[in-house]
Coordinates of all heavy atoms in Angstrom, one line a residue:
M1 N -15.3 15.8 4.2 CA -14.1 15.2 4.8 C -14.2 13.7 4.8 O -13.2 13.0 4.6 CB -13.8 15.8 6.2 CG -12.5 15.3 6.7 SD -12.0 15.9 8.3 CE -11.7 17.6 8.0
L2 N -15.4 13.2 5.1 CA -15.6 11.7 5.2 C -15.3 11.1 3.8 O -14.6 10.1 3.7 CB -17.0 11.4 5.6 CG -17.3 9.9 5.7 CD1 -16.4 9.3 6.8 CD2 -18.8 9.7 6.1
I3 N -15.7 11.8 2.7 CA -15.5 11.3 1.4 C -14.0 11.3 1.1 O -13.5 10.3 0.5 CB -16.3 12.1 0.3 CG1 -17.7 11.9 0.5 CG2 -15.8 11.8 -1.1 CD1 -18.6 12.8 -0.3
A4 N -13.3 12.3 1.5 CA -11.8 12.4 1.3 C -11.1 11.2 2.1 O -10.2 10.6 1.5 CB -11.3 13.7 1.8
L5 N -11.6 10.9 3.3 CA -11.0 9.8 4.0 C -11.3 8.5 3.3 O -10.4 7.6 3.2 CB -11.6 9.7 5.4 CG -11.1 10.9 6.4 CD1 -11.9 10.8 7.7 CD2 -9.6 10.7 6.7
I6 N -12.5 8.3 2.8 CA -12.8 7.1 2.1 C -12.0 6.9 0.8 O -11.4 5.9 0.5 CB -14.3 7.0 1.8 CG1 -15.1 6.9 3.1 CG2 -14.6 5.9 0.8 CD1 -16.6 7.0 2.9
V7 N -11.8 8.0 0.1 CA -11.0 8.0 -1.1 C -9.5 7.7 -0.8 O -8.9 6.9 -1.5 CB -11.1 9.4 -1.9 CG1 -10.1 9.5 -3.0 CG2 -12.5 9.5 -2.5
G8 N -9.0 8.3 0.3 CA -7.7 8.0 0.7 C -7.5 6.6 1.1 O -6.4 6.0 0.7
F9 N -8.4 6.0 1.8 CA -8.4 4.6 2.2 C -8.4 3.7 0.9 O -7.6 2.8 0.8 CB -9.5 4.2 3.1 CG -9.5 2.8 3.6 CD1 -8.6 2.4 4.6 CD2 -10.3 1.9 3.0 CE1 -8.6 1.1 5.0 CE2 -10.3 0.6 3.4 CZ -9.4 0.2 4.4
A10 N -9.3 4.0 0.0 CA -9.4 3.2 -1.3 C -8.1 3.3 -2.1 O -7.6 2.3 -2.6 CB -10.6 3.7 -2.1
L11 N -7.5 4.5 -2.1 CA -6.2 4.6 -2.9 C -5.1 3.9 -2.2 O -4.3 3.2 -2.9 CB -5.9 6.1 -3.0 CG -6.7 6.9 -4.0 CD1 -6.3 8.4 -3.9 CD2 -6.5 6.4 -5.4
A12 N -5.1 3.8 -0.9 CA -4.1 3.1 -0.1 C -4.2 1.6 -0.4 O -3.2 0.9 -0.6 CB -4.2 3.4 1.4
M13 N -5.5 1.1 -0.4 CA -5.7 -0.3 -0.7 C -5.3 -0.7 -2.1 O -4.6 -1.7 -2.3 CB -7.2 -0.7 -0.5 CG -7.7 -0.6 0.9 SD -6.9 -1.8 2.0 CE -5.9 -0.8 3.0
L14 N -5.6 0.2 -3.0 CA -5.2 0.0 -4.4 C -3.7 0.0 -4.6 O -3.1 -0.9 -5.2 CB -5.8 1.0 -5.3 CG -5.5 0.9 -6.8 CD1 -6.0 -0.4 -7.4 CD2 -6.0 2.1 -7.6
L15 N -3.0 0.9 -4.0 CA -1.6 1.1 -4.0 C -0.9 -0.2 -3.4 O 0.0 -0.7 -4.0 CB -1.1 2.3 -3.3 CG 0.4 2.6 -3.2 CD1 1.0 2.9 -4.5 CD2 0.6 3.8 -2.2
M16 N -1.4 -0.6 -2.2 CA -0.8 -1.8 -1.6 C -1.1 -3.1 -2.4 O -0.2 -3.9 -2.5 CB -1.3 -1.9 -0.2 CG -0.7 -0.9 0.8 SD -1.1 -1.1 2.5 CE -2.7 -0.6 2.6
S17 N -2.2 -3.2 -3.0 CA -2.5 -4.3 -3.8 C -1.6 -4.5 -5.0 O -1.1 -5.5 -5.3 CB -4.0 -4.3 -4.3 OG -4.9 -4.3 -3.2
V18 N -1.4 -3.3 -5.7 CA -0.5 -3.3 -6.8 C 0.9 -3.7 -6.4 O 1.6 -4.5 -7.0 CB -0.6 -2.0 -7.6 CG1 0.5 -1.8 -8.6 CG2 -1.9 -1.8 -8.2
A19 N 1.4 -3.1 -5.3 CA 2.7 -3.4 -4.8 C 2.9 -4.8 -4.4 O 3.9 -5.5 -4.7 CB 3.0 -2.5 -3.6
I20 N 1.9 -5.4 -3.8 CA 2.0 -6.8 -3.4 C 1.9 -7.7 -4.6 O 2.7 -8.7 -4.7 CB 0.8 -7.2 -2.4 CG1 1.1 -6.5 -1.1 CG2 0.7 -8.7 -2.3 CD1 -0.1 -6.6 -0.1
Y21 N 1.1 -7.4 -5.6 CA 1.1 -8.1 -6.9 C 2.5 -8.2 -7.5 O 3.0 -9.2 -7.9 CB 0.1 -7.5 -7.9 CG 0.2 -8.1 -9.3 CD1 -0.3 -9.3 -9.6 CD2 0.9 -7.4 -10.3 CE1 -0.2 -9.9 -10.8 CE2 1.0 -7.9 -11.5 CZ 0.5 -9.1 -11.8 OH 0.6 -9.7 -13.1
F22 N 3.1 -7.0 -7.6 CA 4.4 -6.9 -8.2 C 5.5 -7.6 -7.3 O 6.5 -8.1 -7.8 CB 4.9 -5.5 -8.6 CG 4.2 -5.0 -9.8 CD1 3.2 -4.0 -9.7 CD2 4.5 -5.5 -11.0 CE1 2.6 -3.5 -10.9 CE2 3.9 -5.1 -12.2 CZ 2.9 -4.1 -12.1
G23 N 5.3 -7.6 -6.0 CA 6.1 -8.4 -5.1 C 6.1 -9.9 -5.4 O 7.1 -10.5 -5.5
Y24 N 4.9 -10.4 -5.6 CA 4.8 -11.8 -6.0 C 5.4 -12.1 -7.3 O 6.1 -13.1 -7.5 CB 3.3 -12.2 -6.0 CG 2.7 -12.7 -4.7 CD1 1.9 -11.9 -3.9 CD2 3.0 -14.0 -4.2 CE1 1.4 -12.4 -2.7 CE2 2.5 -14.5 -3.0 CZ 1.7 -13.7 -2.3 OH 1.2 -14.1 -1.1
T25 N 5.2 -11.2 -8.3 CA 5.8 -11.4 -9.6 C 7.3 -11.4 -9.5 O 7.9 -12.2 -10.1 CB 5.3 -10.2 -10.5 OG1 3.9 -10.3 -10.6 CG2 5.8 -10.4 -11.9
N26 N 7.8 -10.5 -8.7 CA 9.3 -10.4 -8.6 C 9.8 -11.6 -7.8 O 10.9 -12.2 -8.2 CB 9.6 -9.1 -7.8 CG 11.1 -8.9 -7.7 OD1 11.9 -9.4 -8.5 ND2 11.5 -8.1 -6.7
A27 N 9.1 -12.1 -6.8 CA 9.6 -13.2 -6.1 C 9.6 -14.5 -6.9 O 10.6 -15.2 -6.9 CB 8.7 -13.5 -4.9
Y28 N 8.6 -14.7 -7.7 CA 8.6 -15.9 -8.6 C 9.6 -15.8 -9.7 O 10.2 -16.8 -10.1 CB 7.2 -16.1 -9.2 CG 6.3 -16.8 -8.2 CD1 5.2 -16.2 -7.5 CD2 6.4 -18.2 -8.0 CE1 4.4 -16.8 -6.7 CE2 5.6 -18.9 -7.1 CZ 4.6 -18.2 -6.4 OH 3.8 -18.8 -5.6
S29 N 9.9 -14.6 -10.2 CA 10.8 -14.5 -11.3 C 12.3 -14.6 -10.8 O 13.1 -15.1 -11.6 CB 10.6 -13.2 -12.1 OG 10.9 -12.1 -11.3
T30 N 12.5 -14.2 -9.6 CA 13.9 -14.2 -9.1 C 14.2 -15.4 -8.2 O 15.3 -15.8 -7.9 CB 14.2 -13.0 -8.3 OG1 13.3 -12.8 -7.2 CG2 14.2 -11.7 -9.1
D31 N 13.1 -16.1 -7.8 CA 13.2 -17.4 -7.0 C 14.0 -17.2 -5.7 O 14.8 -18.0 -5.3 CB 13.8 -18.5 -7.9 CG 13.5 -19.9 -7.3 OD1 12.4 -20.1 -6.8 OD2 14.4 -20.7 -7.3
V32 N 13.7 -16.1 -5.0 CA 14.4 -15.8 -3.7 C 13.6 -16.6 -2.6 O 12.5 -17.0 -2.8 CB 14.4 -14.3 -3.4 CG1 15.3 -13.6 -4.4 CG2 13.0 -13.7 -3.4
N33 N 14.3 -16.7 -1.5 CA 13.6 -17.4 -0.3 C 12.7 -16.5 0.4 O 11.6 -16.9 0.9 CB 14.7 -17.9 0.7 CG 15.4 -19.1 0.1 OD1 14.8 -19.9 -0.7 ND2 16.7 -19.3 0.4
T34 N 13.0 -15.2 0.6 CA 12.2 -14.2 1.2 C 12.2 -12.9 0.5 O 13.2 -12.6 -0.1 CB 12.5 -14.0 2.7 OG1 13.9 -13.5 2.7 CG2 12.4 -15.2 3.5
L35 N 11.1 -12.2 0.5 CA 11.1 -10.9 -0.1 C 10.1 -10.0 0.7 O 9.1 -10.4 1.1 CB 10.5 -11.0 -1.6 CG 10.4 -9.7 -2.3 CD1 11.8 -9.3 -2.9 CD2 9.4 -9.9 -3.5
T36 N 10.6 -8.8 0.9 CA 9.8 -7.8 1.7 C 9.3 -6.8 0.7 O 10.1 -6.2 0.0 CB 10.6 -7.2 2.8 OG1 11.1 -8.2 3.7 CG2 9.7 -6.2 3.6
V37 N 8.0 -6.7 0.6 CA 7.4 -5.7 -0.3 C 7.3 -4.3 0.5 O 6.8 -4.3 1.6 CB 5.9 -6.1 -0.7 CG1 5.3 -5.0 -1.6 CG2 6.0 -7.4 -1.4
K38 N 7.8 -3.3 -0.2 CA 7.9 -2.0 0.5 C 7.2 -0.9 -0.4 O 7.2 -1.0 -1.6 CB 9.4 -1.6 0.7 CG 10.1 -2.5 1.6 CD 11.6 -2.0 1.7 CE 12.3 -3.0 2.6 NZ 13.7 -2.6 2.8
I39 N 6.7 0.1 0.3 CA 6.1 1.3 -0.4 C 6.8 2.5 0.3 O 6.7 2.7 1.5 CB 4.6 1.4 -0.2 CG1 3.9 0.2 -0.9 CG2 4.1 2.7 -0.8 CD1 2.4 0.3 -0.8
L40 N 7.6 3.2 -0.5 CA 8.4 4.3 -0.1 C 9.3 3.9 1.1 O 9.4 4.7 2.1 CB 7.4 5.5 0.3 CG 6.5 6.1 -0.8 CD1 5.6 7.1 -0.2 CD2 7.4 6.7 -1.9
G41 N 9.8 2.7 1.0 CA 10.7 2.3 2.1 C 10.0 1.7 3.3 O 10.7 1.2 4.2
I42 N 8.7 1.7 3.3 CA 7.9 1.1 4.4 C 7.6 -0.3 4.1 O 6.9 -0.6 3.1 CB 6.7 2.0 4.7 CG1 7.0 3.4 5.0 CG2 5.9 1.4 5.8 CD1 5.8 4.3 5.0
P43 N 8.0 -1.3 4.9 CA 7.7 -2.7 4.6 C 6.2 -3.0 5.0 O 5.8 -2.7 6.1 CB 8.7 -3.4 5.6 CG 8.9 -2.5 6.7 CD 8.9 -1.1 6.1
I44 N 5.5 -3.5 4.0 CA 4.1 -3.7 4.2 C 3.7 -5.2 4.1 O 2.6 -5.6 4.6 CB 3.2 -2.9 3.2 CG1 3.5 -3.4 1.8 CG2 3.3 -1.5 3.4 CD1 2.4 -3.0 0.8
Y45 N 4.5 -6.0 3.5 CA 4.2 -7.4 3.2 C 5.4 -8.3 3.1 O 6.4 -7.8 2.5 CB 3.4 -7.5 1.9 CG 2.5 -8.7 1.8 CD1 1.3 -8.7 2.5 CD2 2.8 -9.7 0.9 CE1 0.4 -9.8 2.3 CE2 1.9 -10.8 0.7 CZ 0.7 -10.8 1.4 OH -0.1 -11.9 1.3
E46 N 5.4 -9.4 3.7 CA 6.6 -10.3 3.6 C 6.2 -11.6 2.9 O 5.2 -12.3 3.3 CB 7.1 -10.6 5.0 CG 8.5 -11.3 5.0 CD 9.1 -11.4 6.4 OE1 9.5 -10.3 6.8 OE2 9.1 -12.5 6.9
L47 N 7.0 -12.0 1.9 CA 6.8 -13.2 1.2 C 7.9 -14.2 1.6 O 9.0 -13.9 1.5 CB 6.8 -13.0 -0.3 CG 5.8 -12.1 -0.9 CD1 6.1 -11.7 -2.3 CD2 4.4 -12.7 -0.8
T48 N 7.4 -15.4 1.9 CA 8.4 -16.5 2.3 C 8.1 -17.7 1.4 O 7.0 -18.1 1.3 CB 8.2 -16.9 3.8 OG1 8.3 -15.7 4.6 CG2 9.3 -17.8 4.2
K49 N 9.2 -18.3 0.9 CA 9.0 -19.4 0.0 C 8.8 -20.7 0.9 O 9.4 -20.9 1.8 CB 10.3 -19.6 -0.8 CG 10.1 -20.6 -1.9 CD 11.3 -20.6 -2.9 CE 11.0 -21.5 -4.1 NZ 12.0 -21.4 -5.1
S50 N 7.8 -21.4 0.4 CA 7.4 -22.7 1.1 C 7.2 -23.7 0.0 O 6.2 -23.8 -0.7 CB 6.1 -22.6 1.9 OG 5.8 -23.8 2.4
G51 N 8.3 -24.5 -0.3 CA 8.2 -25.5 -1.4 C 8.4 -24.7 -2.7 O 9.4 -24.0 -2.9
T52 N 7.4 -24.8 -3.5 CA 7.4 -24.1 -4.8 C 6.5 -22.8 -4.8 O 6.5 -22.1 -5.8 CB 6.9 -25.0 -6.0 OG1 5.6 -25.4 -5.7 CG2 7.9 -26.2 -6.1
E53 N 5.8 -22.6 -3.7 CA 5.0 -21.4 -3.6 C 5.4 -20.4 -2.5 O 6.2 -20.8 -1.7 CB 3.5 -21.9 -3.3 CG 2.9 -22.7 -4.3 CD 1.5 -23.1 -4.0 OE1 1.0 -22.8 -2.8 OE2 0.8 -23.7 -4.8
Y54 N 4.9 -19.2 -2.6 CA 5.2 -18.2 -1.6 C 4.0 -18.0 -0.7 O 2.8 -18.0 -1.2 CB 5.6 -16.9 -2.3 CG 6.9 -16.9 -2.9 CD1 7.1 -17.3 -4.2 CD2 8.1 -16.6 -2.2 CE1 8.4 -17.4 -4.8 CE2 9.3 -16.6 -2.7 CZ 9.5 -17.0 -4.0 OH 10.8 -17.1 -4.5
I55 N 4.3 -17.8 0.6 CA 3.3 -17.6 1.6 C 3.5 -16.1 2.0 O 4.6 -15.7 2.3 CB 3.4 -18.5 2.8 CG1 3.2 -19.9 2.3 CG2 2.4 -18.1 3.9 CD1 3.4 -21.0 3.4
G56 N 2.4 -15.3 1.9 CA 2.4 -13.9 2.2 C 1.9 -13.6 3.6 O 1.0 -14.3 4.1
K57 N 2.6 -12.7 4.3 CA 2.2 -12.3 5.6 C 2.2 -10.7 5.7 O 3.2 -10.1 5.4 CB 3.1 -12.8 6.7 CG 2.8 -12.5 8.1 CD 3.8 -13.0 9.1 CE 3.5 -12.5 10.5 NZ 4.6 -12.8 11.4
S58 N 1.1 -10.2 6.0 CA 1.0 -8.7 6.1 C 1.7 -8.2 7.3 O 1.8 -8.9 8.4 CB -0.4 -8.2 6.1 OG -1.1 -8.6 7.2
I59 N 2.3 -7.0 7.2 CA 2.9 -6.3 8.4 C 1.9 -5.2 8.7 O 2.0 -4.1 8.2 CB 4.3 -5.8 8.0 CG1 5.2 -7.0 7.5 CG2 4.9 -5.2 9.2 CD1 6.5 -6.6 7.0
G60 N 0.9 -5.6 9.6 CA -0.2 -4.7 9.8 C 0.1 -3.3 10.3 O -0.6 -2.4 9.9
V61 N 1.0 -3.2 11.2 CA 1.3 -1.8 11.7 C 1.7 -0.9 10.6 O 1.3 0.3 10.5 CB 2.4 -1.9 12.8 CG1 2.9 -0.5 13.2 CG2 2.0 -2.7 13.9
Y62 N 2.6 -1.4 9.7 CA 3.1 -0.5 8.6 C 2.0 -0.4 7.5 O 2.0 0.7 6.8 CB 4.4 -1.1 8.0 CG 5.5 -1.1 9.0 CD1 6.1 -2.2 9.4 CD2 5.9 0.1 9.5 CE1 7.1 -2.2 10.3 CE2 6.9 0.2 10.5 CZ 7.5 -1.0 10.9 OH 8.6 -0.9 11.8
M63 N 1.1 -1.4 7.3 CA 0.0 -1.2 6.4 C -0.9 -0.1 6.9 O -1.4 0.7 6.1 CB -0.7 -2.5 6.2 CG -0.1 -3.5 5.3 SD -1.1 -4.9 5.1 CE -1.0 -5.1 3.3
G64 N -1.1 -0.1 8.2 CA -1.9 1.0 8.8 C -1.3 2.3 8.6 O -2.0 3.3 8.3
A65 N 0.0 2.4 8.7 CA 0.7 3.7 8.5 C 0.6 4.2 7.1 O 0.3 5.4 6.8 CB 2.2 3.5 8.8
V66 N 0.7 3.3 6.1 CA 0.5 3.6 4.7 C -0.9 4.1 4.5 O -1.1 5.2 3.8 CB 0.8 2.5 3.7 CG1 0.4 2.8 2.3 CG2 2.3 2.2 3.8
C67 N -1.9 3.5 5.1 CA -3.3 3.9 5.0 C -3.5 5.3 5.6 O -4.1 6.2 5.0 CB -4.2 3.0 5.7 SG -4.6 1.5 4.7
G68 N -2.9 5.5 6.7 CA -2.9 6.8 7.4 C -2.3 7.9 6.6 O -2.9 9.0 6.5
I69 N -1.2 7.6 6.0 CA -0.5 8.6 5.1 C -1.4 9.0 3.9 O -1.6 10.2 3.6 CB 0.9 8.1 4.7 CG1 1.8 8.0 5.9 CG2 1.5 9.0 3.6 CD1 3.1 7.3 5.6
C70 N -1.9 8.0 3.2 CA -2.8 8.2 2.1 C -4.0 9.0 2.5 O -4.5 9.9 1.7 CB -3.1 6.9 1.4 SG -1.8 6.1 0.5
M71 N -4.6 8.7 3.6 CA -5.8 9.4 4.0 C -5.5 10.8 4.4 O -6.3 11.7 4.1 CB -6.4 8.6 5.2 CG -7.0 7.3 4.8 SD -7.5 6.2 6.2 CE -9.0 7.0 6.8
A72 N -4.4 11.0 5.0 CA -4.0 12.4 5.4 C -3.7 13.2 4.1 O -4.2 14.4 4.0 CB -2.7 12.4 6.3
I73 N -3.1 12.7 3.2 CA -2.8 13.4 1.9 C -4.1 13.7 1.2 O -4.3 14.8 0.7 CB -1.9 12.6 1.0 CG1 -0.5 12.5 1.6 CG2 -1.8 13.1 -0.4 CD1 0.5 11.6 0.9
S74 N -5.0 12.8 1.2 CA -6.4 13.0 0.6 C -7.1 14.1 1.3 O -7.7 15.0 0.6 CB -7.2 11.7 0.7 OG -8.4 11.8 0.1
V75 N -7.1 14.2 2.6 CA -7.8 15.2 3.3 C -7.1 16.6 3.1 O -7.8 17.6 2.9 CB -7.8 14.9 4.9 CG1 -8.3 16.1 5.7 CG2 -8.7 13.7 5.1
I76 N -5.8 16.6 3.0 CA -5.1 17.8 2.7 C -5.4 18.3 1.3 O -5.7 19.5 1.1 CB -3.6 17.7 2.9 CG1 -3.2 17.5 4.4 CG2 -2.8 18.8 2.3 CD1 -1.8 17.0 4.7
A77 N -5.5 17.4 0.4 CA -5.8 17.8 -1.0 C -7.2 18.3 -1.1 O -7.5 19.3 -1.7 CB -5.6 16.6 -1.9
E78 N -8.1 17.7 -0.3 CA -9.5 18.1 -0.3 C -9.6 19.5 0.3 O -10.4 20.4 -0.2 CB -10.4 17.2 0.5 CG -11.9 17.4 0.5 CD -12.3 18.3 1.7 OE1 -11.7 18.3 2.7 OE2 -13.3 19.0 1.5
E79 N -8.9 19.8 1.3 CA -8.9 21.1 2.0 C -8.4 22.2 1.0 O -8.9 23.3 1.0 CB -8.2 21.1 3.3 CG -8.9 20.4 4.4 CD -10.2 21.0 4.8 OE1 -10.3 22.3 4.9 OE2 -11.1 20.3 5.1
L80 N -7.3 21.9 0.4 CA -6.7 22.8 -0.6 C -7.6 23.1 -1.7 O -7.7 24.3 -2.1 CB -5.3 22.3 -1.1 CG -4.2 22.2 0.0 CD1 -3.0 21.6 -0.6 CD2 -3.9 23.6 0.5
I81 N -8.2 22.1 -2.3 CA -9.2 22.3 -3.4 C -10.4 23.1 -2.9 O -10.9 24.0 -3.6 CB -9.6 21.0 -3.9 CG1 -8.5 20.3 -4.7 CG2 -10.8 21.1 -4.9 CD1 -8.7 18.8 -5.0
S82 N -10.9 22.9 -1.7 CA -12.0 23.6 -1.1 C -11.7 25.1 -0.9 O -12.5 25.9 -1.2 CB -12.4 23.0 0.2 OG -13.4 23.7 0.8
K83 N -10.5 25.3 -0.4 CA -10.0 26.7 -0.2 C -9.9 27.4 -1.5 O -10.2 28.6 -1.7 CB -8.8 26.8 0.6 CG -9.0 26.5 2.1 CD -7.8 26.7 2.9 CE -8.1 26.4 4.3 NZ -7.0 26.7 5.2
A84 N -9.3 26.7 -2.6 CA -9.1 27.4 -3.9 C -10.4 27.7 -4.5 O -10.6 28.7 -5.2 CB -8.3 26.4 -4.8
R85 N -11.5 26.9 -4.3 CA -12.8 27.2 -4.9 C -13.5 28.4 -4.3 O -14.3 29.1 -4.9 CB -13.7 26.0 -4.8 CG -13.3 24.9 -5.7 CD -14.3 23.8 -5.6 NE -14.0 22.7 -6.6 CZ -14.6 21.6 -6.7 NH1 -15.6 21.3 -5.8 NH2 -14.3 20.7 -7.5
H86 N -13.2 28.6 -3.0 CA -13.9 29.7 -2.2 C -13.2 31.0 -2.3 O -13.7 32.0 -1.8 CB -14.1 29.3 -0.8 CG -15.1 28.2 -0.6 ND1 -15.0 27.0 -1.2 CD2 -16.2 28.1 0.2 CE1 -16.1 26.2 -0.9 NE2 -16.8 26.9 0.0
K87 N -12.1 31.1 -3.1 CA -11.4 32.4 -3.2 C -12.1 33.2 -4.3 O -12.7 32.9 -5.1 CB -10.0 32.2 -3.5 CG -9.2 31.8 -2.3 CD -7.7 31.9 -2.6 CE -6.9 31.6 -1.3 NZ -5.5 31.7 -1.5

């Protein structure tokens, strides 16, 4: 189960990193003043324009929620695979 939790956490970090990368790419290409990066409608990161650059600020509570969701899905998948192997 510990491995499943670690895998879920790693997947959440990867997912959020990719979303934030594309958020920056989108912000620079559209030249907006603010942009909120979301995953499945959950806001995880806010980009605010400061001069010609964007300053990012994480929304910690929601980032934690995304991590929790990914970790829960990983544990559920591990349990389902474990039960399928033991039948």
Side-chain angles (χ1 to χ4, degrees):
M1 185 179 292
L2 181 62
I3 293 172
L5 289 171
I6 292 169
V7 168
F9 182 77
L11 288 175
M13 292 296 110
L14 180 65
L15 179 67
M16 287 189 284
S17 297
V18 169
I20 291 168
Y21 169 79
F22 283 112
Y24 271 103
T25 303
N26 186 21
Y28 278 106
S29 67
T30 57
D31 199 38
V32 294
N33 288 328
T34 61
L35 179 79
T36 303
V37 178
K38 297 178 182 180
I39 295 178
L40 299 173
I42 302 171
I44 61 162
Y45 204 74
E46 188 171 289
L47 298 168
T48 305
K49 191 170 188 175
S50 176
T52 59
E53 296 183 354
Y54 285 90
I55 297 173
K57 180 182 175 190
S58 65
I59 305 173
V61 173
Y62 295 119
M63 282 184 134
V66 170
C67 281
I69 290 168
C70 288
M71 291 167 76
I73 290 171
S74 180
V75 168
I76 291 169
E78 185 267 334
E79 288 295 322
L80 292 175
I81 291 169
S82 176
K83 285 186 180 186
R85 285 186 179 173
H86 287 58
K87 281 190 174 184

